[in-house]
Amino acid sequence: MLKSAFLGALLAVTATAAWAEDPTADTVVATVNGKAITLGHMIAMRESLPPQYLQLDDKTLFDGILDQIIQQEALAEVAEGSIGKRDTLMLDNQRRGYLSGVTLDETARAAVTDDAVQALFDEKYAATEPGKEYNAAHILVATEDEAKSIKADLDGGADFAAIAKEKSTDRGSAAAGGDLGWFGVGMMVKPFEDAVIAMKAGETSAPVQSQFGWHVIRLTEVRTAAKPTIEDVRAELEGELQGRAVEAKVTELTDAAKVEKTVDGIDPAILKNVDLIEN
């Protein structure tokens, strides 16, 4: 009899130890008025937290999530006994929104494969000739007359960098003698870009007007832009694949659904009438 009791106690201790070492999503971590809160509930809440909370250490986050769920359950029980029409409708909308998001998330994940990324890269970049990049400097002033005077000085042999440092209102580039570094098409305002594209390396432009004022531009060098690698643009490609897949899935499922709109005669302004959902 004593041997049997000892074995039973030993088995119970062993089972408890195994349970503690190998918890599952169904492991109960607390009860609130008899209602179970599981480890799965906690993991799901962690998944929904903003990134800044995930920087907390594991123990602090574990305790915080558990306390939060306990508090929510205690508060939710009060409302459950008096759920009204507004509450029911809100819960319906939240459930619908969450489940539709699950479908779209799965669709987006499935769309990104190595083969799909490679195919889109080939489609967008393989046959495309790389564009040009330009290295230029400028002197920016407020009026055309100032710009013309500066251009005349430069044509007479004045030092471009020295004038830029002294007179350019673009203080960011002025400190570097007007140097703007390398840039590609689409990175500068249109009048400036058009002037640069029309120039040859070593040339100084006539005054060019933009919304910022009047520019005198010196084009230093032109080069062929480096062709992007697949890793350079992977994030862009993945985003495009996901966007295409999500759009296609929304169209596919909506078109396949039996939809009947019965809104004829309803004034759109009725959505402001919150009294309709109040009990």
Side-chain angles (χ1 to χ4, degrees):
M1 183 68 176
L2 289 175
K3 182 178 180 181
S4 175
F6 173 77
L7 288 174
L10 180 61
L11 288 172
V13 171
T14 303
T16 301
W19 173 87
E21 292 171 3
D22 191 23
T24 70
D26 295 325
T27 298
V28 175
V29 291
T31 60
V32 180
N33 296 327
K35 189 163 184 178
I37 295 171
T38 67
L39 185 59
H41 289 130
M42 295 182 66
I43 293 171
M45 178 172 279
R46 183 188 183 279
E47 287 288 288
S48 68
L49 290 176
Q52 63 266 30
Y53 287 98
L54 304 182
Q55 305 304 313
L56 296 170
D57 66 87
D58 290 343
K59 181 68 165 61
T60 299
L61 190 57
F62 186 98
D63 291 345
I65 289 174
L66 183 56
D67 288 345
Q68 176 76 1
I69 296 178
I70 289 171
Q71 292 165 6
Q72 287 179 346
E73 182 58 40
L75 293 167
E77 285 186 4
V78 176
E80 279 182 348
S82 57
I83 288 179
K85 182 179 290 293
R86 174 197 288 270
D87 305 314
T88 301
L89 295 171
M90 290 288 189
L91 290 170
D92 286 346
N93 285 342
Q94 288 175 10
R95 181 178 184 277
R96 187 185 305 112
Y98 174 79
L99 292 177
S100 65
V102 169
T103 299
L104 295 183
D105 287 346
E106 291 176 350
T107 299
R109 280 195 296 272
V112 178
T113 65
D114 288 341
D115 288 345
V117 170
Q118 183 66 57
L120 184 56
F121 176 78
D122 293 342
E123 174 189 326
K124 292 173 68 73
Y125 296 102
T128 303
E129 289 298 320
K132 299 290 186 182
E133 290 182 329
Y134 305 89
N135 189 296
H138 80 144
I139 300 168
L140 179 65
V141 291
T143 68
E144 184 179 13
D145 287 342
E146 289 178 277
K148 286 180 176 178
S149 175
I150 288 170
K151 176 63 163 63
D153 290 343
L154 293 172
D155 289 344
D159 183 79
F160 190 101
I163 295 178
K165 290 178 180 178
E166 178 187 352
K167 297 184 176 181
S168 181
T169 59
D170 177 6
R171 302 317 298 169
S173 67
D179 184 27
L180 296 168
W182 287 98
F183 55 89
V185 173
M187 296 178 65
M188 297 295 182
V189 293
K190 196 69 167 62
F192 188 101
E193 178 182 286
D194 290 344
V196 168
I197 291 174
M199 294 169 67
K200 294 179 181 178
E203 289 184 341
T204 300
S205 74
V208 176
Q209 186 180 23
S210 77
Q211 64 262 47
F212 300 108
W214 289 85
H215 309 260
V216 177
I217 307 165
R218 175 162 292 175
L219 180 60
T220 306
E221 190 178 352
V222 181
R223 70 185 181 190
T224 300
K227 199 168 185 177
T229 67
I230 194 168
E231 292 307 319
D232 291 335
V233 292
R234 178 174 289 276
E236 169 200 325
L237 298 172
E238 291 181 352
E240 185 168 340
L241 287 169
Q242 291 173 338
R244 289 183 184 182
V246 163
E247 184 177 354
K249 179 62 72 173
V250 170
T251 300
E252 172 199 343
L253 294 180
T254 305
D255 288 349
K258 183 179 179 181
V259 179
E260 298 178 19
K261 293 184 179 180
T262 54
V263 296
D264 289 347
I266 298 179
D267 181 355
I270 200 169
L271 292 183
K272 301 172 186 174
N273 187 358
V274 296
D275 289 341
L276 293 179
I277 62 172
E278 300 290 356
N279 286 349

